[in-house]
Amino acid sequence: MEKISLLDCPVWFDKTSMLDMLSLAAGRSFLCQNRMGEKIVGQANWGLDPMKGVIRFGERAFTAGVLGTESTIQNTWLWSWAHTESGLPERSVAVSRRVRRALPDLPEFQTGKFMLDELHNGHALAMISVGASGENLCYYRCPYDGGAAFVTVSGLPEEIFAPADAQEFLHQYIEIISGFYCDHRLLAAGFLHQNGTPFTAGENFIAADFDNRKIRFTFEQTEDGLSRVMDISEI
């Protein structure tokens, strides 16, 4: 499936809001990450060579681009484009530069180093990065003493990025909202858009047209200004 950027999602969202961008990106990212975990990673040992831009899972090798690193000592995130002393070749840093250019209005993607917190962490930054990249990418967290590197993984089989049918979509959507803080309307819209599923959206609803099923999501506003799903039904 051709990758569709979350930035083209046809609903209004705040391009300066980390939470809005994460809500848009989470659905598709969780789906593809789960597929990569099942079909590629499994129980295999991993190995990263950032200088060559290669990550291995068992005997299988894929292209890796370094997004950035988390420091558990300083509790900070550092983008690879800002880590001028890393010595990484341009091919390893290029993906972080492309994402930075794609998100000029999002402060977290323009600031080289900042403190980590519940919203600002490597997983959230990586999910937005792969969603905004316009490429078929997953990501992987590579831990080391004192922190972890987050890298993009490209060259994965097309099946990792195949559209979800209605059943798989709903299973993933419900799994996310049960334990992930986000705007449920933007989650649905971003997921449907990147899934290539036609939909119409109003202030308090989204109606999705899968090949053999039409699904309607109904939302309400919460006290903190987010949308929360109230009902999911067939129409």
Side-chain angles (χ1 to χ4, degrees):
M1 176 183 173
E2 181 180 354
K3 186 68 175 6
I4 302 172
S5 172
L6 63 84
L7 299 174
D8 300 322
C9 187
V11 298
W12 185 89
F13 58 93
D14 184 352
K15 293 181 179 180
T16 68
S17 167
M18 180 78 176
L19 183 57
D20 277 17
M21 300 300 291
L22 181 58
S23 299
L24 287 171
R28 184 70 177 164
S29 181
F30 269 99
L31 177 72
C32 295
Q33 289 297 122
N34 286 341
R35 288 173 173 175
M36 183 180 76
E38 294 169 0
K39 300 177 184 297
I40 304 298
V41 180
Q43 299 301 313
N45 293 324
W46 64 271
L48 174 67
D49 187 335
M51 300 306 292
K52 293 182 178 179
V54 173
I55 188 168
R56 295 183 180 275
F57 301 106
E59 299 300 316
R60 305 179 73 174
F62 302 93
T63 300
V66 181
L67 287 171
T69 54
E70 285 183 334
S71 169
T72 55
I73 299 172
Q74 298 179 343
N75 195 38
T76 55
W77 171 265
L78 176 63
W79 288 106
S80 65
W81 56 259
H83 195 180
T84 56
E85 299 177 357
S86 68
L88 289 173
E90 181 58 29
R91 64 176 175 270
S92 292
V93 180
V95 65
S96 74
R97 296 193 194 282
R98 291 197 297 273
V99 172
R100 184 189 186 193
R101 290 194 296 269
L103 297 163
D105 301 315
L106 194 58
E108 292 85 351
F109 283 71
Q110 304 303 312
T111 305
K113 184 177 182 179
F114 51 86
M115 299 299 295
L116 296 167
D117 58 31
E118 187 173 352
L119 178 61
H120 301 89
N121 58 72
H123 286 289
L125 294 163
M127 281 194 277
I128 296 172
S129 293
V130 299
S133 69
E135 306 170 49
N136 279 336
L137 299 176
C138 286
Y139 74 89
Y140 196 75
R141 182 180 186 271
C142 304
Y144 53 80
D145 288 343
F150 280 77
V151 303
T152 56
V153 183
S154 59
L156 291 162
E158 287 298 315
E159 63 183 312
I160 302 297
F161 307 99
D165 61 17
Q167 182 176 351
E168 186 179 25
F169 183 97
L170 290 174
H171 174 79
Q172 186 68 81
Y173 181 82
I174 292 169
E175 183 178 281
I176 293 170
I177 63 174
S178 68
F180 188 75
Y181 182 73
C182 66
D183 184 291
H184 294 178
R185 181 174 177 273
L186 290 181
L187 172 66
F191 195 177
L192 290 165
H193 174 65
Q194 294 180 86
N195 197 54
T197 304
F199 69 93
T200 56
E203 184 177 353
N204 297 311
F205 78 91
I206 286 177
D209 189 0
F210 290 90
D211 288 339
N212 57 349
R213 296 174 68 183
K214 291 181 171 56
I215 309 293
R216 183 182 178 93
F217 301 78
T218 304
F219 307 95
E220 67 171 358
Q221 292 295 116
T222 64
E223 292 182 358
D224 56 3
L226 299 181
S227 292
R228 178 173 59 197
V229 69
M230 288 290 293
D231 181 66
I232 303 173
S233 58
E234 298 217 25
I235 54 176

